[in-house]
Amino acid sequence: MRIELATSPGSPERPNEDWVSVALPASGQGGTVVALDGVTPPSGDAGCVHGVPWFTARLGGSLVELSGSRRDLTLREVLAEAIRRTADAHRDTCDLSHVRTPQATVVLARWGGPEQEVEYLVLSDSTLLLQSPDGSVSAVLDDRLDRLPREALRTHASADALRNTEGGFFTAAADPAVAVRAVAGSVPRERVSAVVALTDGASRWVDMFGAGDWAKCVALLREEGAQGLIDRVRELETDAGARTAAIRFKLHDDASAVLVEL
């Protein structure tokens, strides 16, 4: 099994709010991939004394532990319990009802032995790629954010009105019930040769700059590694010709990529 993992902050002046991990059981059968992209709040009160990196570390750690130790739970149930645990860890000190309470996008994948399945879950705008033995690549996406009109997200207040609400978009924050909103499913393990998780800072290579499709993205990860993909994104972000594609967003975003060849 080959594992490639890299993460890079969008700015040296801010902590990296992404959180990524790969866990393999001692038995050598199966494993778990977790990738979280913490949502950067605007300046001002967010109701929490801890901050986004604290939140993603707590949530990510719970997801890794639960997905490995509670294989009787579905991934939606794993996510719900991880959110509940994380909320309980700061319920007494923070206002969890605040619309900007720390939150994150989620990519979660779990697989067992050769005769079992690859389970997957995606919440919000990070990306999961599943490559089959014939080389074709399927993208698992939660596209609710992309389907919203850009004008509806133009201000912090308008985005807040759509956050974790019907007709808007959903992230993992303090309410375990959001887990049912995640895109989830499974495929036989024999149909999956590689699993890739990308936060949106890394998926820009495809979905913002159009430098290649998802299959070429997996090929690039195999050839140049996870850091190689992030380096390619950084080059495009600083290229004057490509920069216009990113002008509506952060010029540089936290970027994380994980490749696991099963």
Side-chain angles (χ1 to χ4, degrees):
M1 181 175 293
R2 174 191 174 193
I3 299 170
E4 284 279 349
L5 186 155
T7 185
S8 171
S11 168
E13 300 173 357
R14 294 183 58 88
N16 189 341
E17 295 170 335
D18 285 0
W19 193 96
V20 291
S21 179
V22 179
L24 305 175
S27 67
Q29 296 290 324
T32 297
V33 172
V34 178
L36 307 179
D37 182 355
V39 178
T40 305
S43 59
D45 180 39
C48 181
V49 300
H50 298 99
V52 176
W54 177 93
F55 173 81
T56 53
R58 288 283 183 137
L59 181 63
S62 291
L63 287 169
V64 169
E65 190 272 315
L66 287 165
S67 60
S69 67
R70 293 297 307 274
R71 298 195 70 90
D72 57 309
L73 299 180
T74 68
L75 293 189
R76 284 194 175 108
E77 291 169 335
V78 165
L79 176 58
E81 179 58 24
I83 292 173
R84 183 178 297 106
R85 286 187 181 184
T86 305
D88 287 346
H90 65 145
R91 193 180 305 281
D92 294 338
T93 57
C94 305
D95 177 11
L96 303 189
S97 67
H98 198 294
V99 69
R100 296 174 187 164
T101 190
Q103 51 204 271
T105 73
V106 180
V107 171
L108 179 58
R110 177 173 67 180
W111 60 95
E115 304 302 319
Q116 297 177 331
E117 295 188 321
V118 176
E119 304 165 80
Y120 59 80
L121 177 150
V122 176
L123 185 67
S124 200
D125 60 348
S126 289
T127 300
L128 176 72
L129 304 178
L130 301 174
Q131 185 173 49
S132 68
D134 66 8
S136 61
V137 175
S138 298
V140 181
L141 305 170
D142 176 0
D143 65 353
R144 278 171 286 212
L145 189 59
D146 290 336
R147 286 190 271 117
L148 293 172
R150 281 296 148 196
E151 54 269 22
L153 303 171
R154 191 172 301 278
T155 68
H156 295 311
S158 63
D160 285 346
L162 294 167
R163 191 182 307 278
N164 288 322
T165 188
E166 192 66 42
F169 62 97
F170 296 90
T171 57
D175 182 6
V178 77
V180 302
R181 305 286 189 166
V183 176
S186 64
V187 295
R189 180 170 172 177
E190 64 184 17
R191 290 169 48 190
V192 180
S193 59
V195 175
V196 171
L198 306 170
T199 62
D200 66 343
S203 66
R204 285 180 169 197
W205 192 79
V206 174
D207 56 27
M208 181 178 288
F209 296 114
D213 59 17
W214 295 122
K216 290 182 179 178
C217 181
V218 176
L220 175 59
L221 282 164
R222 279 202 167 97
E223 293 169 7
E224 300 185 18
Q227 188 59 51
L229 172 63
I230 294 173
D231 291 343
R232 292 288 193 102
V233 170
R234 297 294 186 238
E235 291 172 3
L236 289 166
E237 289 169 339
T238 55
D239 178 77
R243 192 180 302 168
T244 55
I247 199 67
R248 295 176 301 169
F249 308 92
K250 301 175 187 176
L251 179 57
H252 302 295
D253 197 3
D254 297 341
S256 300
V258 185
L259 165 69
V260 179
E261 295 187 84
L262 303 183

